[in-house]
Amino acid sequence: MASHIVGYPRMGPKRELKFALESFWDGKSSAEDLEKVATDLRASIWKQMADAGIKYIPSNTFSYYDQVLDTTAMLGAVPERYSWTGGEIGFSTYFSMARGNATVPAMEMTKWFDTNYHFIVPELGPNTKFSYSSHKAVNEYKEAKALGVDTVPVLIGPVSYLLLSKPAKGVEKSFSLLSLLSSILPVYKEAIAELKAAGATWIQFDEPTLVLDLDSHQLAAFSAAYTELESALSGLNVLVETYFADIPAESYKTLTSLNSVTAYGFDLIRGAKTLDLVKSAGFPSGKYLFAGVVDGRNIWADDLAASLSTLQSLEAIVGKDKLVVSTSCSLMHTAVDLINETKLDSEIKSWLAFAAQKVVEVNALAKALAGQKDEAYFAANAAAQASRKSSPRVTNEEVQKAAAALKGSDHRRATNVSARLDAQQKKLNLPVLPTTTIGSFPQTVELRRVRREYKAKKWITHSKFCCRISEEEYVSAIKEEISKVVKIQEELDIDVLVHGEPERNDMVEYFGEQLSGFAFTANGWVQSYGSRCVKPPIIYGDVSRPNPMTVFWSKTAQSMTSRPMKGMLTGPVTILNWSFVRNDQPRFETCYQIALAIKKEVEDLEAGGIQVIQIDEAALREGLPLRKAEHAFYLDWAVHSFRITNCGVQDTTQIHTHMCYSNFNDIIHSIINMDADVITIENSRSDEKLLSVFREGVVYGAGIGPGVYDIHSPRIPSTEEIADRINKMLAVLDTNILWVNPDCGLKTRKYTEVKPALTNMVSAAKLIRTQLASAK
């Protein structure tokens, strides 16, 4: 019985790629240095899977930024503004597309389906010229082969690539991206020919858009594409991989009728109904089924007995020699290796499996199906499953009762937003087009050192770290950093300030550390985009807030200024979506528990004199189910959870929220239904796509701050550029509701970038204020 891994984490167990990328971007190391780190990581990954007994090992899933950008490079689909003149695409052009440079902005970045991973959105049009411009796929295949590992090269499928693209600037929004199919397929044919010549016998096309609600025209594109590729694919075994949801019946029918395809990969974790489809609709004779029974998006140990039962039922349909045990999706969405977790509670650790352990689980299931079941391994797994179900630390009856009592109320504030804004303005006395930032400020090396050593002191009671920094020294250092950030904002003349979040490494991790029901890893890093890694907390049990979490720091910051200081919180939906969530109860129940915990914090902030409280819901759109039929239920409980957090505050307390890097236009009415007083929202990197919804007649009565510049690029926008963006916003939004702010938080940037960018932002706001005043 064979085994397969869809993809694997690429940052490395100690985030080696992250540090190599940042060193290269800072000019501290060479391209050769970066390539050496990448080569060593790939070799380690391939060897690990080969040693574990995996038969179908992927290659070309490693990326310096993201796999969609890699495909853009392969196709030579470089926007004109990057002045690429042809040939093999190098780091300069590649990273300019991803991050921008001193003269041109980056391409749009958005979420990869409903994950916290991001991809760079291709910009295409009728005049886009395609050419085979990156041989990365074949180079990595040869690299693995030289190490004695025969891999399955992975490409983003041609139809999904086009469906995930957008019309380039200046191209009609109605332009059919699928009309470019005949233009990109010749490049795919060249890549396929090179892979065949190099000795590849299998090729994997990731076509995740097959799980979406596709119309007949879009489904026809899959048939057309793989029919056109049929002769090029002759002699190869072809796997089309899908993931993240059930595959609809019509898509299943289309996929399984493709003559050029040998095997189909299905996510049987988030796509459990696909199992019923395979059983009821039948499975093509002689084809392979790659069964994704091991969860690639969570960190819970697989229930091996249940998975084995599922596989045995499929074996009866597909045939023993045509069933392949696989992960539900790429393992890049989970942490790398549990062996690195030396401080994690032993009981909780026994319930978990990271990427390295999931590889072992996949192979153990394959061996069990082949009659070589490791009885001891399965018995240990069953004991861990039983331990988790019966552990008293998972359940808190008081929390469950409080969450159950939420039913029957929509938890809206008593006064409408217009009246609240009037009351808030009387108290805050803000100018027209008030300026603010989203929350975080740059995190310096020294600040990270202070925080790291203080944490080490808490974790290791008898180590060399203990004497390095005391509680008093830590508090003093953080206060000093807050004071610096406050002073900078006052000098820049920003209207509503933030404290810069110097006490926080991550907006979710910080809160999870102070909530019950959460566990934390030391090295459970997951890539979010580029070199940006996050360390999602693990929600293993019922959630509550034992003590205030941010009140001390917010009050401290407010005492340093007469200007309004935001209290900064992460919302319940974002904490949920950016954590590894327990899978033993519905997600909405866990979200309601988190909402009640945040509600207590909001009320304590208000009581402490904080007049502006921001409750970030950056990931609300991210969690939207991929199928439209499931949208309403999710949005109902997600929006309700946000309202629970602030339903009890006074009219004069201004509630902000923040969202970023997703397509918000399709949920704008749910955003309005959140009933926040002010929303700041990413806008500039997506080429002001958000503004189109207001041009189409949507009326927004609360305060709103569409971002005026992209913080994920080192590029510094001019005053004139920002002023132009503000004027575009004023064309569709009322002056009295518009705020001026960056797209997102500033912690990934340097002060040498932040200060001039914010200076220009404030100057632009003042310029427009002057123009508005003179026009009266």
Side-chain angles (χ1 to χ4, degrees):
M1 189 61 61
S3 51
H4 166 253
I5 304 297
V6 177
Y8 201 81
R10 46 180 90 126
M11 281 289 116
K14 297 181 180 178
R15 295 180 290 163
E16 292 89 339
L17 182 60
K18 168 190 170 65
F19 299 120
L21 283 166
E22 291 172 355
S23 177
F24 174 70
W25 292 337
D26 289 343
K28 296 177 181 177
S29 60
S30 66
E32 291 74 20
D33 295 329
L34 176 57
E35 289 169 344
K36 173 68 166 57
V37 171
T39 299
D40 290 347
L41 280 173
R42 287 192 295 266
S44 173
I45 291 167
W46 291 326
K47 182 178 185 300
Q48 178 184 354
M49 285 191 266
D51 289 348
I54 301 299
K55 180 175 181 180
Y56 300 112
I57 297 171
S59 61
N60 198 42
T61 57
F62 185 92
S63 178
Y64 288 104
Y65 213 89
D66 91 80
Q67 68 272 32
V68 179
L69 183 61
D70 292 348
T71 310
T72 294
M74 182 186 82
L75 295 170
V78 181
E80 287 184 8
R81 65 181 178 275
Y82 300 107
S83 303
W84 175 63
T85 56
E88 188 80 3
I89 289 176
F91 282 153
S92 177
T93 300
Y94 181 86
F95 288 128
S96 290
M97 289 191 287
R99 306 176 72 239
N101 57 43
T103 58
V104 292
M107 295 166 69
E108 180 183 351
M109 180 171 72
T110 196
K111 295 292 176 71
W112 179 244
F113 293 83
D114 59 347
T115 76
N116 188 29
Y117 179 72
H118 301 65
F119 72 96
I120 303 298
V121 182
E123 302 172 11
L124 308 176
N127 298 320
T128 303
K129 305 298 181 185
F130 299 99
S131 61
Y132 190 21
S133 303
S134 171
H135 296 68
K136 177 178 175 293
V138 70
N139 290 342
E140 288 190 15
Y141 174 79
K142 290 177 178 178
E143 187 182 311
K145 194 171 184 182
L147 296 171
V149 182
D150 189 21
T151 60
V152 179
V154 180
L155 299 175
I156 297 290
V159 182
S160 287
Y161 177 79
L162 292 177
L163 291 177
L164 293 169
S165 301
K166 72 172 187 178
K169 195 168 186 177
V171 175
E172 289 292 328
K173 300 302 180 188
S174 59
F175 173 70
S176 172
L177 292 160
L178 288 176
S179 68
L180 297 172
L181 191 58
S182 60
S183 300
I184 68 171
L185 288 179
V187 180
Y188 274 87
K189 289 178 181 178
E190 288 186 70
I192 292 165
E194 276 202 353
L195 288 166
K196 285 172 70 173
T201 57
W202 278 84
I203 187 169
Q204 175 179 319
F205 291 101
D206 281 7
E207 293 280 14
T209 56
L210 276 165
V211 305
L212 304 178
D213 296 308
L214 302 178
D215 60 33
S216 58
H217 173 65
Q218 292 166 324
L219 288 174
F222 287 94
S223 300
Y226 287 92
T227 298
E228 176 64 24
L229 291 174
E230 190 167 351
S231 60
L233 292 168
S234 177
L236 282 172
N237 289 296
V238 178
L239 165 64
V240 172
E241 185 69 48
T242 69
Y243 36 77
F244 298 152
D246 290 298
I247 183 167
E250 284 303 310
S251 298
Y252 179 83
K253 182 179 178 181
T254 298
L255 175 59
T256 54
S257 65
L258 299 176
N259 292 328
S260 58
V261 176
T262 316
Y264 317 102
F266 299 124
D267 180 340
L268 300 181
I269 301 295
R270 292 188 174 232
K273 294 177 184 175
T274 300
L275 188 63
D276 297 330
L277 195 58
V278 171
K279 293 176 180 178
S280 63
F283 192 78
S285 176
K287 303 284 186 171
Y288 290 84
L289 172 59
F290 282 58
V293 293
V294 173
D295 193 348
R297 286 185 60 174
N298 217 327
I299 42 65
W300 303 109
D302 188 65
D303 185 338
L304 294 177
S307 291
L308 185 58
S309 176
T310 297
L311 291 165
Q312 288 168 337
S313 69
L314 286 169
E315 188 179 55
I317 299 168
V318 177
K320 199 176 193 71
D321 61 336
K322 298 297 182 184
L323 182 62
V324 178
V325 183
S326 184
T327 54
S328 64
C329 62
S330 172
L331 295 175
M332 67 178 286
H333 304 291
T334 190
V336 179
D337 196 341
L338 197 56
I339 199 172
N340 297 319
E341 300 307 322
T342 57
K343 304 182 186 74
L344 196 59
D345 177 279
S346 59
E347 181 184 30
I348 293 174
K349 190 173 181 178
S350 73
W351 303 341
L352 308 179
F354 291 179
Q357 288 70 45
K358 289 176 185 293
V359 169
V360 175
E361 288 178 338
V362 166
N363 200 54
L365 286 166
K367 290 174 71 175
L369 270 178
Q372 302 169 36
K373 184 177 180 182
D374 185 335
E375 296 292 350
Y377 183 73
F378 270 71
N381 174 266
Q385 298 292 324
S387 163
R388 185 177 166 213
K389 289 176 182 176
S390 62
S391 176
R393 67 198 305 175
V394 171
T395 304
N396 182 323
E397 289 186 12
E398 184 179 338
V399 171
Q400 291 190 350
K401 286 178 182 178
L406 293 171
K407 296 174 182 176
S409 171
D410 63 4
H411 296 90
R412 289 186 181 276
R413 293 170 76 177
T415 311
N416 67 46
V417 69
S418 177
R420 298 198 309 263
L421 289 174
D422 288 343
Q424 292 155 14
Q425 178 59 16
K426 288 175 183 176
K427 191 168 186 179
L428 297 173
N429 193 29
L430 298 173
V432 171
L433 306 179
T435 55
T436 191
T437 63
I438 304 307
S440 61
F441 263 63
Q443 304 239 329
T444 63
V445 172
E446 176 62 16
L447 176 60
R448 293 180 189 275
R449 181 193 67 78
V450 166
R451 202 167 50 226
R452 183 174 60 250
E453 292 184 3
Y454 176 66
K455 267 194 172 183
K457 176 179 180 289
K458 291 203 306 184
W459 283 352
I460 308 171
T461 55
H462 298 290
S463 79
K464 61 182 180 181
F465 290 109
C466 287
C467 299
R468 285 194 178 180
I469 183 166
S470 67
E471 175 94 21
E472 293 76 14
E473 289 169 326
Y474 172 75
V475 170
S476 176
I478 298 300
K479 282 184 176 180
E480 184 178 340
E481 186 70 18
I482 291 172
S483 178
K484 179 179 81 172
V485 170
V486 170
K487 184 177 180 182
I488 288 171
Q489 293 172 93
E490 288 186 326
E491 290 173 349
L492 291 170
D493 203 18
I494 291 174
D495 299 305
V496 176
L497 311 189
V498 298
H499 76 292
E501 303 178 6
E503 79 283 16
R504 309 177 195 182
N505 178 64
D506 177 84
M507 63 187 287
V508 173
E509 180 183 0
Y510 175 81
F511 289 97
E513 285 178 335
Q514 301 180 78
L515 294 169
S516 64
F518 281 75
F520 291 86
T521 64
N523 296 289
W525 297 99
V526 178
Q527 185 183 18
S528 179
Y529 62 87
S531 68
R532 169 78 172 140
C533 297
V534 295
K535 198 164 54 170
I538 299 165
I539 305 177
Y540 67 84
D542 290 334
V543 178
S544 63
R545 187 203 71 150
N547 299 295
M549 301 178 287
T550 66
V551 177
F552 173 77
W553 296 120
S554 293
K555 289 174 67 176
T556 297
Q558 183 64 81
S559 72
M560 297 175 179
T561 181
S562 60
R563 301 185 184 211
M565 174 66 63
K566 290 187 199 174
M568 300 299 305
L569 304 175
T570 302
V573 184
T574 296
I575 290 177
L576 183 87
N577 285 336
W578 286 358
S579 298
F580 291 125
V581 183
R582 57 189 294 189
N583 57 2
D584 59 344
Q585 71 176 13
R587 288 173 69 88
F588 71 85
E589 291 186 12
T590 301
C591 197
Y592 284 153
Q593 293 177 1
I594 302 170
L596 287 171
I598 299 299
K599 182 176 186 289
K600 290 182 179 180
E601 188 72 10
V602 169
E603 290 167 355
D604 282 351
L605 283 168
E606 183 183 54
I610 304 302
Q611 302 173 61
V612 181
I613 302 172
Q614 181 169 307
I615 308 167
D616 284 349
E617 283 296 13
L620 188 139
R621 173 62 175 77
E622 174 186 309
L624 189 71
L626 300 179
R627 306 289 288 283
K628 291 178 182 176
E630 300 168 18
H631 286 189
F633 178 67
Y634 167 79
L635 289 169
D636 179 67
W637 63 255
V639 169
H640 188 194
S641 294
F642 176 82
R643 290 202 305 262
I644 288 167
T645 65
N646 61 87
C647 62
V649 300
Q650 300 174 25
D651 288 354
T652 50
T653 298
Q654 190 166 84
I655 299 296
H656 289 223
T657 191
H658 171 67
M659 296 182 179
C660 56
Y661 300 102
S662 287
N663 181 9
F664 301 106
N665 293 26
D666 56 347
I667 64 163
I668 190 65
H669 294 289
S670 293
I671 292 173
I672 295 171
N673 199 29
M674 291 170 72
D675 200 27
D677 297 311
V678 178
I679 180 171
T680 53
I681 194 164
E682 179 271 324
N683 169 69
S684 60
R685 179 145 187 176
S686 59
D687 199 25
E688 299 166 343
K689 180 166 52 180
L690 171 70
L691 299 186
S692 65
V693 77
F694 303 114
R695 295 188 190 102
E696 291 162 7
V698 171
V699 177
Y700 195 80
I704 183 167
V708 296
Y709 79 91
D710 174 24
I711 63 87
H712 288 299
S713 170
R715 180 175 170 272
I716 298 165
S718 67
T719 297
E720 293 73 23
E721 179 183 333
I722 295 175
D724 181 60
R725 288 192 188 277
I726 296 171
N727 277 322
K728 288 179 181 176
M729 296 171 191
L730 287 172
V732 293
L733 293 165
D734 290 341
T735 307
N736 63 339
I737 66 169
L738 185 62
W739 285 62
V740 177
N741 47 264
D743 266 354
C744 202
L746 303 170
K747 80 160 130 187
T748 60
R749 300 266 57 87
K750 301 171 185 174
Y751 274 107
T752 53
E753 299 159 345
V754 165
K755 288 182 180 179
L758 290 180
T759 296
N760 293 347
M761 183 188 83
V762 173
S763 296
K766 290 181 176 180
L767 175 65
I768 302 299
R769 285 175 196 159
T770 301
Q771 292 173 355
L772 290 170
S774 63
K776 286 183 179 179

